[in-house]
Amino acid sequence: MNNKARPVVGIDLGTTNSAVAYIVNGKPKIIPSPQGQEIIPSVVLLDMQGKILVGDAAKASQVAMPDRVVAAVKRKMGSNEPVYMAEQAFSPQEISAMILRELKSYVDNAFGEGEKEAIITVPAYFTDEQRRATKQAGELAGFVVDRIVNEPTAAALAFGLEQLEEDKHILVYDLGGGTFDVSVVEMMSGILEVKASAGNNQLGGEDFDWLLVDWLASKIKKSHGIDPLKDIRAKSLLKEQAEKIKIELSSAEKTAIHLPLVMMKNNHPVGLSTEITRQDFVGLIEGMLTETVDCVRRAIADAKVDVSEIQEILLVGGSTRIPRVRELLTAFLGKEPRCDVNPDEAVALGAAVQAGLKSGELADSGLIITDVAPFSLGTSILGERQGIARNGLFSVIIPRNTTIPVTRTERFYTAMPGQTTVQIDIYQGEHELVKYNHSLGEFLLEDIPANYKDVEPIDITYRYNLNGILEVTAKCVSNDREATLTVHDALARDSKQQFVQSLDKLQALYENAPKEEIDEESEFDLSDFDIEDEEDEAGEASIEDLREEIGMLQGRLAAIMPDSNELQRRKIDKLKRRLEEAKLLENTADIQEIIDETTDLLIDLEMEDEE
Ligand code: ADP
Ligand code: MG
């Protein structure tokens, strides 16, 4: 199959709901499930027969089988934290792969067999690791994935296609189930440019549900003297009811709550009958909504536009159906938001527009896409701070909110006479000290001519592309020697090995499911993947070496303990626990990761100790 015939679809892999779309006759359209659903819950169930179910069926089982169901896995993407389903551990990307595999079955239904490419969206605030985990989930599901797109950009695209002639600033406010993003997008002569983004990847409708759960639970506690949140089933039931109540309060001013059986106490049913007004509910969530407005203010400031220059407000995400959200935005921005784009579908439809641009289907649309860097990217330098020479200062090369793709070069100089090697450390973040930022990798530039008279200039170039992949090149100006690091590889060490393991695991899971349920055609086929063997296996530390290293780290922690203050002691305890966990692990990559992470934090603590 050649590239031309390969369909490219757009996918909104949401915390709460997911959808897939495609361009039909020049317009984006959702590809529905065989049952006709446009969006499906991002919920996965491993049922009693060992079968994986995704969507409504899984969501409906949350109360009855809470330990067999995984929801909101997107919040864990990029972490190594295992997710448990029926006592089996899965990585967050394995669970996401199951959701994507379900969407892929709709695509296969629509287009028949063969290779499919997917463009998957992520919140603007996703880090590189989270983006990579998302890409890997898509690949585990059997898609070709070479582009990850920010959700607000996609939403603006869904909106932008029909309004090409107008020049304006649009505010995209996306409040979903688990994440909040706001972006200022400028549209000018067919060019859609994201000027700035802000948000919070831990804020959304789920949080509103939980606030309501607490409210319900405290009522029950008051009248029955029992805490329903200690009972996992009662908690799940309250969560399910809370969402229903919340949704009702988007259209009704008040609603009656009638829950005859939440749990049992001494063989008697414990229930709740009461009423809640929209005002009560707004009281619970007002603080969070105010925080979103603060983000709106920040995005507008970062975009260097005035509030009055925002001509359109686009609402995305199911939680924007809450009337108070509209009220607050209208009050702050002085105009009504638009409601003509379906908030549930905008992101998937926009991803389909991206897909259409990529496949050539929309090549004539005249649209040009750019995006912004969600974090500042830079390097560690020796510099001056408050009059004192200091190591570990963060020198920004690509500032946050710079339009990407972008290439920036900055000139630095060797620090010592005769220096022939420099270490380039790559960081992402906003703090002036690199230790508070996120390390993305490091490499050496060697063979700098030993210069005892003067400093040697070194040009460092950061190349950041639309997929969030960073390439860093350091060049010695006097002799043209270069060294390059692509951050994609830097963090994904061992990921191929993990990828194959995950693939095997999923394949076994789907194969062991009851026979009649297996969809033969969409089974995983290892030969579809071009996987190179790990080459540097021999250079890897053995599990024994790693455990020895853990022992050394434990010794260092014990050494700083006596002189530490309360806060430091708490940090030390946490690191100790991490190391104990690491001792139990079998996978060397996971252990190495904990060691690296602990070593960094330990060095910080040791330095604090010296100060
Ligand atoms: P995500 O982008 O996180 O996948 P969605 O955009 O699909 O999320 O939004 C899902 C959230 O929207 C859920 O928390 C859901 O309860 C909420 N939601 C859906 N409809 C309404 C409504 N009418 N009123 C309030 N919240 C709603
Ligand atoms: Mg969303």
Side-chain angles (χ1 to χ4, degrees):
M1 171 141 312
N2 64 23
N3 263 13
K4 229 175 167 181
R6 176 166 90 194
V8 189
V9 297
I11 293 180
D12 173 7
L13 180 61
T15 312
T16 328
N17 297 299
S18 296
V20 54
Y22 183 71
I23 298 293
V24 183
N25 299 328
K27 286 228 181 306
K29 287 245 155 33
I30 296 283
I31 305 173
S33 74
Q35 290 78 35
Q37 299 151 290
E38 248 102 38
I39 61 173
I40 58 160
S42 307
V43 184
V44 180
L45 161 74
L46 181 57
D47 78 2
M48 304 288 220
Q49 284 77 44
K51 202 172 78 183
I52 300 285
L53 293 172
V54 175
D56 280 330
K59 192 176 174 183
S61 307
Q62 258 178 306
V63 173
M65 297 186 264
D67 47 351
R68 291 190 163 267
V69 173
V70 177
V73 70
K74 186 169 175 177
R75 286 192 155 166
K76 301 221 166 88
M77 286 296 271
S79 79
N80 262 346
E81 202 183 319
V83 182
Y84 290 91
M85 200 159 54
E87 284 163 18
Q88 280 188 56
F90 294 92
S91 68
Q93 49 268 48
E94 285 166 358
I95 301 285
S96 290
M98 294 169 189
I99 299 165
L100 290 166
R101 197 176 189 270
E102 172 76 16
L103 295 175
K104 185 165 185 289
S105 72
Y106 310 162
V107 178
D108 288 340
N109 262 344
F111 299 102
E113 273 319 293
E115 204 173 52
K116 313 285 183 331
E117 181 173 339
I119 289 183
I120 307 175
T121 60
V122 296
Y125 264 62
F126 256 28
T127 61
D128 284 315
E129 278 133 312
Q130 291 170 305
R131 283 162 200 266
R132 260 190 292 279
T134 304
K135 182 175 190 290
Q136 203 184 72
E139 287 165 354
L140 283 172
F143 282 114
V144 173
V145 186
D146 63 32
R147 177 163 295 190
I148 296 294
V149 183
N150 285 345
E151 284 158 14
T153 316
L157 274 176
F159 177 75
L161 204 55
E162 275 128 52
Q163 315 270 332
L164 271 184
E165 300 76 30
E166 296 168 50
D167 291 354
K168 56 183 152 193
H169 286 103
I170 306 163
L171 185 102
V172 182
Y173 178 100
D174 181 347
L175 188 57
T179 53
F180 168 65
D181 274 284
V182 54
S183 296
V184 176
V185 180
E186 184 183 2
M187 184 147 36
M188 214 200 296
S189 343
I191 298 179
L192 204 56
E193 186 177 343
V194 179
K195 303 298 272 188
S197 297
N200 181 342
N201 65 14
Q202 297 286 330
L203 195 165
E206 282 271 318
D207 302 294
F208 307 159
D209 297 347
W210 286 114
L211 287 171
L212 207 44
V213 167
D214 286 341
W215 187 90
L216 295 167
S218 71
K219 293 249 163 202
I220 293 173
K221 228 194 237 160
K222 228 183 237 162
S223 48
H224 297 275
I226 183 169
D227 185 1
L229 299 186
K230 295 216 167 101
D231 178 316
I232 190 163
R233 268 160 215 253
K235 192 169 161 183
S236 296
L237 180 137
L238 289 181
K239 167 75 169 67
E240 194 182 79
Q241 291 304 319
E243 186 179 10
K244 283 194 185 137
I245 294 164
K246 170 186 78 176
I247 290 175
E248 235 167 274
L249 290 173
S250 288
S251 49
E253 283 291 341
K254 65 177 180 191
T255 184
I257 297 168
H258 185 61
L259 307 172
L261 174 63
V262 176
M263 64 190 297
M264 298 298 285
K265 182 188 175 189
N266 304 332
N267 282 332
H268 288 292
V270 169
L272 179 68
S273 270
T274 183
E275 195 180 80
I276 184 169
T277 65
R278 184 185 289 171
Q279 211 43 51
D280 293 332
F281 174 62
V282 167
L284 297 175
I285 65 168
E286 190 79 355
M288 289 189 178
L289 295 186
T290 308
E291 195 190 322
T292 70
V293 176
D294 291 341
C295 287
V296 170
R297 188 178 293 119
R298 204 176 102 209
I300 293 176
D302 278 349
K304 299 194 172 61
V305 293
D306 193 74
V307 169
S308 64
E309 290 172 80
I310 303 288
Q311 280 96 337
E312 300 279 5
I313 307 160
L314 177 61
L315 296 183
V316 181
S319 300
T320 60
R321 293 212 170 95
I322 295 172
R324 185 65 183 153
V325 169
R326 288 159 199 247
E327 279 170 31
L328 284 172
L329 284 176
T330 307
F332 180 65
L333 297 163
K335 55 179 69 77
E336 296 271 344
R338 289 184 77 126
C339 314
D340 55 337
V341 178
N342 185 337
D344 296 324
E345 296 175 6
V347 171
L349 295 174
V353 173
Q354 274 269 19
L357 289 168
K358 187 157 192 289
S359 69
E361 217 132 349
L362 292 176
D364 305 333
S365 71
L367 269 179
I368 299 159
I369 302 164
T370 56
D371 209 333
V372 296
F375 295 97
S376 300
L377 293 162
T379 188
S380 168
I381 56 160
L382 173 69
E384 184 206 287
R385 186 181 181 233
Q386 290 155 359
I388 301 164
R390 240 198 109 134
N391 218 341
L393 295 186
F394 186 44
S395 176
V396 173
I397 295 178
I398 298 177
R400 177 162 67 103
N401 287 329
T402 302
T403 302
I404 53 174
V406 64
T407 299
R408 288 273 167 90
T409 301
E410 290 277 333
R411 180 158 293 184
F412 295 87
Y413 299 92
T414 49
M416 285 176 307
Q419 183 177 354
T420 57
T421 302
V422 286
Q423 175 164 326
I424 315 294
D425 298 305
I426 307 161
Y427 286 91
Q428 170 193 73
E430 311 308 324
H431 202 279
E432 59 177 329
L433 296 178
V434 293
K435 69 173 178 175
Y436 296 111
N437 292 328
H438 183 68
S439 166
L440 294 177
E442 57 189 42
F443 65 101
L444 293 177
L445 174 65
E446 292 168 315
D447 300 329
I448 299 167
N451 187 335
Y452 291 93
K453 292 200 196 96
D454 204 356
V455 288
E456 279 286 322
I458 310 289
D459 281 348
I460 301 185
T461 302
Y462 276 46
R463 219 169 260 124
Y464 195 50
N465 74 14
L466 279 172
N467 300 324
I469 291 165
L470 176 70
E471 190 186 282
V472 178
T473 303
K475 181 172 154 189
C476 173
V477 177
S478 65
N479 67 2
D480 278 351
R481 295 291 298 219
E482 275 191 357
T484 294
L485 181 77
T486 303
V487 167
H488 191 105
D489 292 327
L491 272 183
R493 79 192 140 119
D494 269 347
S495 73
K496 271 181 207 149
Q497 202 181 328
Q498 266 168 23
F499 181 81
V500 176
Q501 276 171 12
S502 289
L503 207 54
D504 287 347
K505 182 167 156 195
L506 292 186
Q507 185 166 16
L509 204 62
Y510 282 100
E511 264 174 10
N512 294 337
K515 265 288 170 261
E516 70 280 8
E517 299 294 344
I518 291 183
D519 176 0
E520 293 284 351
E521 312 205 306
S522 49
E523 251 179 81
F524 287 103
D525 183 354
L526 269 172
S527 62
D528 284 352
F529 296 88
D530 184 19
I531 294 154
E532 297 155 37
D533 283 333
E534 270 301 308
E535 278 160 23
D536 48 8
E537 201 103 310
E540 236 171 67
S542 72
I543 201 149
E544 288 76 24
D545 292 345
L546 292 172
R547 288 191 178 142
E548 193 171 316
E549 208 171 322
I550 291 176
M552 273 154 48
L553 287 171
Q554 285 175 321
R556 279 165 69 184
L557 280 172
I560 56 170
M561 191 72 161
D563 294 327
S564 56
N565 62 30
E566 180 54 32
L567 178 70
Q568 287 165 334
R569 204 160 291 194
R570 240 181 289 148
K571 285 184 189 166
I572 293 170
D573 281 339
K574 208 159 143 198
L575 293 182
K576 277 185 175 166
R577 279 200 299 277
R578 281 298 271 164
L579 291 174
E580 285 302 327
E581 271 169 45
K583 271 184 173 168
L584 302 174
L585 295 175
E586 296 295 332
N587 183 324
T588 49
D590 290 346
I591 302 176
Q592 185 69 55
E593 186 160 330
I594 295 181
I595 289 180
D596 291 348
E597 169 197 310
T598 314
T599 307
D600 284 350
L601 295 168
L602 176 60
I603 291 170
D604 290 349
L605 282 167
E606 286 170 339
M607 271 163 49
E608 276 175 33
D609 219 34
E610 283 164 24
E611 273 167 16

